[in-house]
Amino acid sequence: MKKIKHPHLPLYYEISREIIAKIQNGELKPGMQIPSENEIIKTYHVSNTTARRILLEIESQGWAVRVKGKGTYVHRKKIERSATRILGFTRNMIEAGFTPSTKVLKSCVRQKGYSKMVAGRRYFIKGPVFEVHRLRFADHIPMMMEKRFISMQFCPDLDKNDLNGSLYDLYDKVYNIRLSEMIQDLSAVMMEPDILSCFSLEKSIPAILIEGVTMCGKEMILELEESYYRGDKYRFTVRAT
Amino acid sequence: MKKIKHPHLPLYYEISREIIAKIQNGELKPGMQIPSENEIIKTYHVSNTTARRILLEIESQGWAVRVKGKGTYVHRKKIERSATRILGFTRNMIEAGFTPSTKVLKSCVRQKGYSKMVAGRRYFIKGPVFEVHRLRFADHIPMMMEKRFISMQFCPDLDKNDLNGSLYDLYDKVYNIRLSEMIQDLSAVMMEPDILSCFSLEKSIPAILIEGVTMCGKEMILELEESYYRGDKYRFTVRAT
């Protein structure tokens, strides 16, 4: 039997803390199975009532999720992204404690402009429009792939800039542009093979597709966007009133 | 060769209008293939440049989507749902021009209460909590499945009411409750077999999973929610500032 360090605390609580500590120190990693009811009974010599209570405690604290008929798994923490706040990937990642990086996959200039439906309305940006596809990483894990279509009327010579950092910083510092509003459609789609290959994933997974328009003043369309956020890594938070 | 009615309009425009009219009158239904480039060349005796322009026009007007290497299909219109406005399914469906209906799948009372993580915080409703699972239809097509966990401290005898209509109406009319705020996590998931069977779907599709908490005053938690919106039928709209 393992030593229990604080005998004045309830046993179930003590043991649940011990297992949670293993999750916190990384011994039990996201997606790994935590000890089952039977394993807890054997390891800690407790009753099945206590074992169940331990699992319930770990689960209710948000450290693990029970999958019916399969077991209890360490919670895969997803990145929370507010959908109602204009926030670039770079800053979102830094706030979440990751190191962001970017790989430009493709870029070109569309002389004829570009248009897109968002929230039931078609938005059109007159040419020339700068199109750039970028893969965005957190600690070297590809998290999302974005296609952006940016007005070169607002951002002349955009293609001459370094596109591996935050575009929001470029808008702000190089072009002195203030973003005023963003309208986005969120939908759930399966990743198509071309998108999937960007993420080096073999099997298709669901993605959150964001189709959006960003304004920099009344009726002034700065950019259109089509981004694929990995469904296994992201969650969007919305506040409604 | 078909008769062109307004010879003063560009030919490509004229023909694209003719095809769009077929989509509008329902002759070409959502998901159906529209004439290919070759079919347009044969039917209308136009060049391939014009045929391509016709397809581009129909596509850019948002009536159809091109699937690489497959053809061009009539756009399946998704239901737009605002994520930043508190809006029940019933009213959303009526606004979208559908007839809503509801099937109660299961209900029970949880004496011990219920808790859920939303936006990184755990929310707890003290027992008794009324749990109800409902399948919601638009014109008899199952659109979403919701699990709701409602405080019976705020809604005593909730189980004695008719649960086939709008719960928001019950809150308002029977319990005189005003909803103040809603916090929701949106994520993209594959439908699990038990959820899939509710929708009578054979193959798994992505869903938008909404996990939310609804307040009826400061720190007053009225309900927790876990809802699965069909990814092929829904799109959520968000405005960020």
Side-chain angles (χ1 to χ4, degrees):
Chain A
M1 183 173 171
K2 291 209 176 184
K3 270 184 245 159
I4 298 301
K5 289 153 215 153
H6 305 286
H8 55 285
L9 287 174
L11 187 62
Y12 87 90
Y13 183 81
E14 190 70 22
I15 297 170
S16 71
R17 283 288 111 191
E18 205 172 304
I19 296 172
I20 290 170
K22 288 185 184 170
I23 299 174
Q24 288 176 314
N25 70 21
E27 194 178 324
L28 287 169
K29 289 186 176 51
M32 277 173 68
Q33 201 162 355
I34 72 170
S36 68
E37 203 176 300
N38 282 333
E39 285 163 355
I40 290 174
I41 293 170
K42 274 194 206 157
T43 309
Y44 298 96
H45 299 268
V46 294
S47 68
N48 53 11
T49 313
T50 304
R52 264 200 295 274
R53 199 155 174 197
I54 290 165
L55 285 174
L56 200 67
E57 176 69 15
I58 298 168
E59 205 194 344
S60 74
Q61 291 294 319
W63 293 101
V65 277
R66 196 176 321 194
V67 181
K68 231 179 177 172
K70 285 199 171 166
T72 305
Y73 296 83
V74 180
H75 198 61
R76 285 182 195 279
K77 213 172 163 252
K78 288 189 183 181
I79 295 203
E80 292 270 352
R81 194 178 158 80
S82 165
T84 45
R85 179 180 158 210
I86 297 179
L87 179 70
F89 177 86
T90 307
R91 194 174 307 169
N92 184 222
M93 283 303 111
I94 292 169
E95 283 182 8
F98 296 98
T99 305
S101 59
T102 299
K103 187 179 162 192
V104 175
L105 302 173
K106 176 190 155 177
S107 72
C108 63
V109 174
R110 289 180 175 250
Q111 293 299 342
K112 291 188 173 174
Y114 191 75
S115 84
K116 192 163 199 35
M117 293 281 290
V118 181
R121 189 185 144 190
R122 181 161 291 279
Y123 292 88
F124 178 70
I125 303 183
K126 267 202 293 189
V129 163
F130 185 62
E131 173 174 352
V132 59
H133 299 191
R134 307 195 304 172
L135 192 58
R136 320 281 316 250
F137 301 82
D139 292 349
H140 306 290
I141 299 165
M143 302 293 285
M144 73 102 145
M145 200 282 256
E146 61 178 19
K147 300 180 185 175
R148 288 160 83 168
F149 306 84
I150 305 157
S151 166
M152 292 184 82
Q153 306 212 316
F154 289 117
C155 303
D157 295 324
L158 183 57
D159 48 331
K160 309 281 192 301
N161 287 282
D162 173 19
L163 301 167
N164 286 296
S166 160
L167 284 175
Y168 285 2
D169 277 353
L170 283 185
Y171 297 156
D172 181 22
K173 285 166 193 151
V174 178
Y175 298 102
N176 203 24
I177 291 170
R178 300 284 166 271
L179 310 183
S180 59
E181 190 188 20
M182 209 170 195
I183 302 165
Q184 298 186 315
D185 275 332
L186 276 75
S187 48
V189 298
M190 288 309 287
M191 282 196 190
E192 298 288 337
D194 56 326
I195 305 290
L196 211 58
S197 66
C198 295
F199 291 102
S200 314
L201 291 169
E202 277 175 27
K203 243 185 74 193
S204 187
I205 60 165
I208 301 169
L209 167 61
I210 302 263
E211 293 167 289
V213 55
T214 303
M215 323 289 285
C216 58
K218 208 169 151 58
E219 299 292 315
M220 286 157 76
I221 307 173
L222 175 63
E223 61 166 52
L224 292 163
E225 181 190 353
E226 181 182 320
S227 296
Y228 297 83
Y229 287 79
R230 286 174 65 155
D232 58 342
K233 300 281 185 198
Y234 270 99
R235 173 185 294 144
F236 283 76
T237 304
V238 173
R239 205 170 276 264
T241 46
Chain B
M1 181 173 172
K2 291 209 174 182
K3 268 184 247 161
I4 299 301
K5 288 152 213 152
H6 305 285
H8 56 287
L9 287 175
L11 187 61
Y12 87 90
Y13 183 82
E14 189 71 21
I15 296 171
S16 71
R17 284 287 112 193
E18 205 172 304
I19 297 171
I20 289 171
K22 287 186 185 170
I23 299 174
Q24 289 176 313
N25 71 22
E27 194 178 322
L28 288 169
K29 289 184 176 51
M32 277 173 69
Q33 201 164 354
I34 71 169
S36 67
E37 202 176 301
N38 282 334
E39 285 164 354
I40 290 174
I41 294 169
K42 274 193 204 157
T43 311
Y44 298 97
H45 298 270
V46 293
S47 68
N48 53 12
T49 314
T50 304
R52 264 199 295 276
R53 197 153 176 200
I54 290 165
L55 285 174
L56 200 66
E57 175 70 16
I58 297 168
E59 206 194 342
S60 73
Q61 291 294 319
W63 292 102
V65 277
R66 196 176 323 191
V67 181
K68 233 178 175 173
K70 285 199 172 166
T72 305
Y73 296 83
V74 179
H75 197 63
R76 287 183 193 278
K77 217 174 160 251
K78 289 189 183 181
I79 294 203
E80 291 271 353
R81 191 175 161 83
S82 166
T84 44
R85 181 180 157 211
I86 297 179
L87 179 70
F89 176 87
T90 307
R91 193 174 306 167
N92 184 223
M93 283 303 110
I94 292 169
E95 283 183 7
F98 295 98
T99 305
S101 59
T102 298
K103 187 179 162 193
V104 176
L105 301 174
K106 175 189 156 177
S107 73
C108 63
V109 174
R110 287 178 177 252
Q111 292 299 344
K112 293 189 174 177
Y114 191 75
S115 84
K116 195 164 197 35
M117 292 282 290
V118 181
R121 190 185 142 187
R122 181 161 292 279
Y123 292 88
F124 177 71
I125 303 183
K126 268 202 294 189
V129 163
F130 184 62
E131 174 175 352
V132 59
H133 299 192
R134 308 194 305 172
L135 191 59
R136 321 279 317 247
F137 301 82
D139 292 350
H140 307 291
I141 298 165
M143 302 292 285
M144 73 102 146
M145 199 283 252
E146 59 178 21
K147 300 180 184 175
R148 287 161 84 169
F149 306 85
I150 305 157
S151 166
M152 291 183 83
Q153 305 211 316
F154 289 117
C155 304
D157 295 325
L158 182 57
D159 48 329
K160 309 280 192 301
N161 287 280
D162 174 19
L163 302 167
N164 287 295
S166 160
L167 284 175
Y168 285 2
D169 278 354
L170 282 185
Y171 297 155
D172 180 23
K173 284 166 193 151
V174 178
Y175 298 101
N176 203 24
I177 290 170
R178 299 285 165 269
L179 309 183
S180 59
E181 190 188 18
M182 209 170 194
I183 302 165
Q184 298 186 317
D185 275 332
L186 277 74
S187 47
V189 297
M190 289 307 289
M191 282 195 189
E192 297 288 337
D194 56 326
I195 304 290
L196 211 60
S197 67
C198 295
F199 291 102
S200 314
L201 291 170
E202 279 175 26
K203 242 186 73 192
S204 185
I205 60 165
I208 300 169
L209 166 61
I210 301 261
E211 293 167 288
V213 55
T214 302
M215 322 290 286
C216 59
K218 208 169 152 54
E219 299 292 314
M220 287 159 75
I221 307 173
L222 175 62
E223 61 166 52
L224 291 164
E225 181 190 353
E226 180 183 321
S227 296
Y228 297 84
Y229 286 80
R230 286 174 66 154
D232 58 341
K233 300 283 186 197
Y234 270 99
R235 174 186 293 146
F236 283 76
T237 304
V238 173
R239 205 169 276 262
T241 48

